[in-house]
Amino acid sequence: MADLQSLQDLAVISTENAAPVHVQKLDAQGRAYATGKRKNAIARVWIKPGTGKITVNGKEYRGYFARPVLQMLVQQPIGVASRTDQYDINATVAGGGLSGQAGALRHGISKALTYYEPELRTVLKKGGFLTRDSRVVERKKYGHAKARRSFQFSKR
């Protein structure tokens, strides 16, 4: 009887230590949805199989993000996963500036890719695309001109 109990304990321990199994998460239309965040920007991203078209707030992403650096930022997770021209991406971004929105979109695309293809998780995790960049603007303190800048000091 004690042997049976120890076997059950081993079974419980082995299932607790097992790696989590990631499954595909799709909605009724066959799309993967994810939310990406960066600074004060939030991106809501939907991914479905297609021709590689990226739409941001109803515009083509090259028209929305005019700077080449921001366009490169948006394309990074797709390039690392080598899934160029395989998925249509539709996104809405709000809050913050263009740089924060591009970062939020990159985070959202990465998460949505892992929901559509769970085996891409290791590649994207290694590239650091699934980690939310938690750096935000430091708040202004009283008695200071800005967050850390003091007012000019005069002896006389």
Side-chain angles (χ1 to χ4, degrees):
M1 196 66 172
D3 292 332
L4 181 62
Q5 184 62 37
S6 61
L7 282 174
Q8 289 174 343
D9 290 341
L10 280 174
V12 168
I13 291 170
S14 64
T15 55
E16 288 174 357
N17 294 340
V21 178
H22 298 285
V23 294
Q24 192 179 44
K25 297 178 187 170
L26 301 178
D27 64 5
Q29 287 87 22
R31 305 173 301 181
Y33 169 79
T35 307
K37 294 181 181 181
R38 169 83 169 93
K39 292 185 177 180
N40 281 333
I42 297 174
R44 302 181 321 166
V45 181
W46 290 269
I47 286 186
K48 64 180 181 182
T51 58
K53 187 178 175 192
I54 302 175
T55 310
V56 181
N57 289 354
K59 289 182 175 179
E60 207 264 323
Y61 85 103
R62 291 182 195 278
Y64 191 84
F65 297 111
R67 286 186 282 173
V69 173
L70 300 180
Q71 294 174 11
M72 179 204 67
L73 209 65
V74 169
Q75 286 185 321
Q76 273 183 333
I78 305 161
V80 167
S82 61
R83 295 292 187 267
T84 312
D85 302 334
Q86 289 187 20
Y87 293 111
D88 282 345
I89 299 169
N90 189 14
T92 58
V93 290
L98 283 178
S99 177
Q101 288 181 352
L105 185 56
R106 173 184 143 175
H107 185 225
I109 289 172
S110 305
K111 282 173 65 175
L113 276 172
T114 59
Y115 293 153
Y116 202 90
E117 284 189 66
E119 59 271 9
L120 291 177
R121 185 173 170 80
T122 53
V123 176
L124 292 170
K125 184 95 172 152
K126 198 172 286 182
F129 298 112
L130 296 178
T131 308
R132 192 245 198 254
D133 192 351
S134 60
R135 297 175 296 169
V136 291
V137 176
E138 190 175 343
R139 80 169 198 86
K140 182 194 177 302
K141 278 64 163 205
Y142 56 87
H144 286 259
K146 292 165 54 177
R148 298 189 180 192
R149 167 97 167 85
S150 297
F151 294 114
Q152 186 171 349
F153 175 73
S154 170
K155 270 189 188 168
R156 287 170 200 80

